[in-house]
Amino acid sequence: MEWLNNQNPVLLALFATLTTWALTALGAAMVFFFKEINQRLLNTMLGFAAGVMIAASFWSLLAPAIEMAESSSKIPAWLVAALGFIGGAFFLYLADRLIPHMHLNSKDGESEGISTNLRRSILLVFSITLHNIPEGLAVGVAFGAAANGINNVTLLSAIAVAVGIGIQNFPEGAAVSIPLRREGLSRTKSFLYGQSSGIVEPIAGVIGAALVMYVQPILPYALAFAAGAMIFVVVEELIPEAQSGNHKSTHMATAGCIIGFVVMMILDVALG
C-alpha cells in the first residue's frame, strides 16, 4: 500500500479505469457463449448498475465534497455541492441531447440526440458510452481527491470506487454485446462494439484526476459534478430501462438496485 501511495494519482486513475474497461470487455465476451439474454436477468443487471452508481454518488463523491467544502471554502458547503451536482447533471443532459444514441428497448426511429443515419447498433453503443463518461470521471476524481489528502477519501476508498464501477461494468458489457448479437451482428462485432463502450472511462478518469490534482480549488465541485452526472444517468436511462417488461422483471430490477447499492456501500465504508 505504501508503494501505491507514492504513485502518481493520474497514473493510478489510468490503471484503475483501464481495469474497469477490461471488465466491460469481459462482460461483452459473454456474447461468445450466449446469443440471448433473459429479460429478467437484463433488468436485474441494469438495476444492479443503478444501485452501485447511486451509492458511489453519495458515499464516494457527495459526502467528501461537502466535508471538503466545509473546511476549505468560504462559500456554504451546501451551495458548493448543489452547484457541482447541478453542473454534472446539466453536462450529461447536454450530452444526451447532442450525442446520437438509442436505448436498449427503443424501436427503430426512436433515437435521441442530433439526427443521424448511423446504424442502430452504433446508436446502442453510444447509449452505454454515455453511462461510462461519469463512471470514469468518478474514478479519476476519487484518486485525485485521495492524493490531496481529503478526509474520508483515502486511496482505499478510491480503489473501492473503481472496484464498484468495475463490478457493474461486467454485466453492463454483456447488456450491450448480447442484444447486438440479437440484432444480427456477428459475435466478434458484437464483442468489439460492446467493449468499445467502455473506452471513454480511461479518458474521463485521466481528465478527472488531472483536473483535481492541478486545479485543487475545484475539487469539491468536481466531486459533486461527477455525482450529478452519475445520478442523471441512473434516472434518465438505467432505471427506465431496468423497469421495462412485466412486473416480475421489474421486481428483479428493484432487487438488483438494492443489492448494488449495498455492495457499493460496503466496499466504500469498509475500505474507506
Side-chain angles (χ1 to χ4, degrees):
M1 183 58 66
E2 183 178 350
W3 177 83
L4 285 175
N5 283 319
N6 294 328
Q7 300 307 304
N8 187 305
V10 176
L11 286 178
L12 290 178
L14 174 61
F15 292 143
T17 47
L18 285 174
T19 301
T20 61
W21 179 19
L23 286 168
T24 301
L26 191 61
M30 292 298 101
V31 75
F32 292 110
F33 305 97
F34 307 98
K35 184 177 180 179
E36 298 287 338
I37 183 168
N38 181 274
Q39 185 66 46
R40 293 173 67 181
L41 177 60
L42 176 60
N43 287 5
T44 303
M45 293 190 301
L46 292 172
F48 180 88
V52 168
M53 292 177 71
I54 293 170
S57 295
F58 175 74
W59 296 101
S60 304
L61 300 169
L62 268 181
I66 293 171
E67 181 167 345
M68 181 183 182
E70 287 175 339
S71 61
S72 63
S73 176
K74 296 180 181 179
I75 302 175
W78 60 265
L79 182 57
V80 171
L83 289 174
F85 190 88
I86 292 172
F90 185 69
F91 171 77
L92 258 291
Y93 168 77
L94 289 179
D96 188 69
R97 293 295 300 271
L98 295 175
I99 297 176
H101 65 284
M102 179 178 288
H103 302 304
L104 293 174
N105 298 311
S106 298
K107 299 177 181 178
D108 289 336
E110 293 181 345
S111 62
E112 299 182 16
I114 60 175
S115 298
T116 179
N117 293 320
L118 290 173
R119 294 172 55 187
R120 174 183 170 87
S121 57
I122 300 297
L123 295 175
L124 288 171
V125 173
F126 281 178
S127 177
I128 303 300
T129 300
L130 279 175
H131 299 184
N132 291 330
I133 293 173
E135 293 172 9
L137 187 62
V139 174
V141 170
F143 276 97
N148 279 282
I150 306 306
N151 291 337
N152 289 341
V153 184
T154 64
L155 183 58
L156 282 176
S157 66
I159 293 173
V161 176
V163 170
I165 296 298
I167 290 173
Q168 64 95 30
N169 272 2
F170 179 85
E172 199 169 71
V176 181
S177 63
I178 294 177
L180 289 178
R181 173 62 175 160
R182 194 169 60 239
E183 292 285 327
L185 272 69
S186 68
R187 294 184 187 275
T188 300
K189 282 189 175 181
S190 297
F191 166 73
L192 291 175
Y193 285 166
Q195 63 83 30
S196 68
S197 66
I199 196 171
V200 295
E201 288 195 4
I203 298 171
V206 167
I207 291 173
L211 279 176
V212 299
M213 276 297 297
Y214 301 112
V215 193
Q216 294 187 18
I218 72 166
L219 180 51
Y221 295 96
L223 289 165
F225 182 97
M230 290 180 71
I231 293 298
F232 181 93
V233 167
V234 169
V235 178
E236 174 73 10
E237 302 197 12
L238 287 180
I239 289 179
E241 289 175 9
Q243 290 294 316
S244 63
N246 58 42
H247 70 280
K248 290 184 179 180
S249 62
T250 60
H251 289 334
M252 294 298 293
T254 302
C257 183
I258 292 171
I259 294 170
F261 185 96
V262 171
V263 168
M264 186 66 232
M265 179 180 65
I266 290 173
L267 281 172
D268 200 295
V269 174
L271 295 181

